[in-house]
Amino acid sequence: MTKTINLTLKVWRQQGPKDKGRFETYHAKNISTDMSFLEMLDVVNDQLTIDDKEPIAFDHDCREGICGMCGCVVNGRAHGAEKGTTLCQLHMRHFDNGDTIAIEPFRAMAFKAIKDLAVDRSALDKIIQAGGYVSVNTGGAQDANAILVPQEVADLAMDAAQCIGCGACVAACPNASAMLFTSAKVSQLALLPQGMPEAAKRALNMVRTMDELGFGNCTNERECEAECPKEISITNIARLNREYLNAGFFSRSI
Amino acid sequence: MNWITGTLGSSIGKKLLMAITGFSFCGFLAAHLAGNLTIYGGKDAFNGYAAHLHALGPLVTVAELGLLTFFLVHVIIGLILFLSNLKARPVRYAVNKSAGGRTLGSATMPYTGAILLAFIIFHLMNFHFVDKTDTTIFNIVSNAFSNTGYVAIYIVAMVAAAIHVSHGFWSAFQTIGANHPKYMPLIRTVSIAFAVVVGIGFGFLPIYIFLLA
Ligand code: HEM
Ligand code: SF4
Ligand code: FES
């Protein structure tokens, strides 16, 4: 038998970037505990549509925790309180009948409000554009084993590459800093030989772009690491600091 | 942009300056505490320590100017970072919960810092910029601490200092990029241990002198 629960939702509603925004209260009735958080919102939106009211706008895409599109702050926690989980993978069995749930968008100056719970996180794309890539020659592909990479190093790079760019680290950071995201994107390339040629320029340009976009400054609060759905470690932030300071003081790049 | 100001002016650069200056204050605190412990050796031991220190003459002045410069850098950049971090989230969350990353120390850095700033000015007015003719430093100190108000202010300030360094010490390692799986657990333990030593070491001195007087 599926268990169902009834919930009270306090949802942030905001017409657009200029609107001040406010909380509205909704009742979510007969929610199956097998549903995901987003499916619960779908149910609420169905009812709102039937009642001829504006449905709640929220971001989502894959709904299987890999695209990085979803994300809200649920009861003060980015992607909700479950560890290592995106909002689309957060299941309603983690809530109790009668719970009141506050749902807010990710808040940061660099994330512009679009509508309700949907925010524009393209600032993260701009950081990637500033250097989160490697240049590859065209022509015949070289032998797969031509460049040796120790397994441990490959694993570290893969851990960093798990970042799905959801922006929860920014949302959870008391300073709205994007250091965990940037450090993951720098690390996944800096750790591998293929990332070496552009390493110095990459660190300088990505950090500069991050600063220009209005993200805050990291004060090592470690909230990002605790909240990240992909459990990206702050050892990546230390690596970014090394990469950046090395590039700034010892490389020929300016 | 000049490469030096470009590097140091970035978020990571400003943090580097906080870390270097913060580290040197930690060194200063350790040395200052070691010196102050001579109080337990009695009046003569303490006056003797002060006399030896001042006998270093110009070296002391150079150290003082260095500390003052570092202090201005730490306070001004700390303020810039604090304000720019406020600006980075113009609309606050209505519900805000920690995921377990923050500590008492990390969450209060600007506030414990502000208490330290006020305290350091007060402290220098009490014991540094005073007329020391016809008296000894021990007399000045024991006069001050016969007053319970002074004792209370010093204890509060030392608790603030302990909380500040409990985060500051390990944080400075992370900032300079020194996060290593073999050493980080030790650094975090030393951070707490250092905070306790600073808090109890400095904090108990006023109580001791109060009880002595
Ligand atoms: C004996 C005095 C002090 C010591 C030993 C000390 C030590 C430190 C250390 C080690 C850090 C960490 C740097 C990092 O995270 O990289 C730090 C950060 C900080 N300090 Fe101090 N500090 C002292 C006084 C002050 C004062 C007087 C203020 C303010 C008026 C202040 C404000 C701050 C702030 C706001 C931070 C956080 C900056 C950040 O994490 O980005 N500190 N301090
Ligand atoms: S580091 Fe984690 S929280 Fe930040 S964007 Fe990447 S996946 Fe999301
Ligand atoms: S919708 Fe793709 S990660 Fe949640």
Side-chain angles (χ1 to χ4, degrees):
Chain A
M1 261 299 281
T2 21
K3 199 179 143 202
T4 61
I5 52 175
N6 297 324
L7 303 161
T8 306
L9 307 183
K10 307 249 182 223
V11 183
W12 186 260
R13 301 305 305 262
Q14 184 171 352
Q15 278 303 312
K18 298 248 156 56
D19 183 18
K20 249 192 91 208
R22 77 219 70 83
F23 281 101
E24 297 272 352
T25 306
Y26 302 99
H27 296 281
K29 295 209 183 72
N30 296 324
I31 299 298
S32 157
T33 50
D34 293 337
M35 281 183 186
S36 74
F37 200 86
L38 299 189
E39 285 165 334
M40 183 275 291
L41 286 180
D42 289 338
V43 171
V44 174
N45 273 347
D46 280 349
Q47 192 57 49
L48 284 174
T49 312
I50 291 167
D51 296 346
D52 216 15
K53 291 193 182 121
E54 184 87 3
I56 303 160
F58 62 89
D59 280 320
H60 61 108
D61 191 4
C62 71
R63 297 209 177 193
E64 54 185 9
I66 56 167
C67 75
M69 198 57 209
C70 65
C72 303
V73 171
V74 176
N75 286 338
R77 300 281 304 272
H79 292 298
E82 281 304 300
K83 210 175 156 39
T85 316
T86 54
L87 195 60
C88 57
Q89 292 289 293
L90 176 66
H91 284 84
M92 297 314 292
R93 57 177 170 268
H94 299 298
F95 296 90
D96 292 321
N97 191 28
D99 275 1
T100 299
I101 307 178
I103 313 174
E104 294 175 76
F106 285 176
R107 298 187 192 280
M109 185 170 79
F111 289 170
K112 300 284 171 282
I114 298 174
K115 190 177 180 188
D116 301 339
L117 303 172
V119 289
D120 178 359
R121 285 161 287 168
S122 57
L124 298 182
D125 302 337
K126 298 208 177 84
I127 297 176
I128 294 284
Q129 283 158 10
Y133 51 80
V134 288
S135 304
V136 178
N137 289 333
T138 53
Q142 69 174 326
D143 215 28
N145 291 332
I147 305 173
L148 297 180
V149 180
Q151 186 62 39
E152 257 178 43
V153 175
D155 286 347
L156 277 179
M158 279 304 288
D159 286 348
Q162 286 215 52
C163 168
I164 53 176
C166 63
C169 43
V170 178
C173 175
N175 311 311
S177 159
M179 282 287 274
L180 193 64
F181 167 81
T182 309
S183 73
K185 298 304 177 190
V186 163
S187 288
Q188 66 181 18
L189 303 176
L191 279 160
L192 299 176
Q194 290 86 342
M196 290 304 162
E198 286 144 314
K201 272 228 153 347
R202 175 183 309 119
L204 291 174
N205 290 345
M206 287 177 78
V207 169
R208 254 174 226 155
T209 306
M210 174 185 84
D211 288 351
E212 278 160 16
L213 288 163
F215 288 105
N217 310 275
C218 175
T219 59
N220 302 325
E221 298 264 15
R222 298 183 303 146
E223 285 291 316
C224 54
E225 171 185 69
E227 211 67 290
C228 171
K230 298 297 153 187
E231 302 183 288
I232 303 289
S233 156
I234 58 159
T235 50
N236 289 299
I237 296 185
R239 183 178 299 102
L240 172 61
N241 291 342
R242 291 196 294 276
E243 288 283 322
Y244 178 82
L245 294 170
N246 260 324
F249 289 112
F250 306 116
S251 80
R252 300 189 63 91
S253 304
I254 294 185
Chain B
M1 200 178 354
N2 175 303
W3 67 269
I4 301 178
T5 51
T7 306
L8 291 179
S10 67
S11 57
I12 297 180
K14 291 197 199 91
K15 287 281 302 173
L16 175 70
L17 292 173
M18 288 307 279
I20 294 173
T21 51
F23 261 143
S24 41
F25 299 153
C26 290
F28 166 76
L29 283 183
H32 193 18
L33 180 61
N36 283 0
L37 291 182
T38 55
I39 284 193
Y40 294 117
K43 188 177 170 159
D44 294 336
F46 187 56
N47 283 334
Y49 152 66
H52 273 110
L53 188 63
H54 289 284
L56 295 174
L59 271 182
V60 177
T61 315
V62 169
E64 281 174 350
L65 288 178
L67 271 176
L68 179 66
T69 314
F70 272 30
F71 189 69
L72 291 177
V73 169
H74 194 83
V75 170
I76 292 168
I77 296 185
L79 188 66
I80 292 173
L81 289 172
F82 174 65
L83 294 177
S84 97
N85 287 344
L86 278 184
K87 219 179 89 190
R89 176 162 296 129
V91 186
R92 320 299 292 177
Y93 290 108
V95 188
N96 208 346
K97 269 207 205 87
S98 166
R102 305 189 92 170
T103 58
L104 173 67
S106 75
T108 55
M109 286 309 266
Y111 315 112
T112 48
I115 293 175
L116 284 175
L117 173 62
F119 167 75
I120 289 166
I121 295 170
F122 176 76
H123 179 56
L124 292 178
M125 308 276 278
N126 282 332
F127 297 145
H128 191 79
F129 300 110
V130 284
D131 183 10
K132 286 176 189 155
T133 44
D134 305 331
T135 183
T136 65
I137 190 67
F138 185 86
N139 284 342
I140 298 175
V141 169
S142 60
N143 258 335
F145 291 144
S146 57
N147 179 333
T148 41
Y150 272 70
V151 175
I153 290 175
Y154 270 74
I155 291 174
V156 169
M158 286 315 115
V159 170
I163 296 174
H164 196 79
V165 296
S166 72
H167 175 70
F169 189 80
W170 91 265
S171 172
F173 278 90
Q174 166 80 1
T175 298
I176 60 170
N179 186 335
H180 189 284
K182 283 186 184 156
Y183 301 106
M184 209 47 178
L186 178 68
I187 291 172
R188 300 203 60 126
T189 310
V190 170
S191 198
I192 302 297
F194 185 58
V196 171
V197 168
V198 164
I200 295 181
F202 280 110
F204 195 71
L205 284 172
I207 303 175
Y208 175 74
I209 297 171
F210 177 75
L211 294 177
L212 208 66

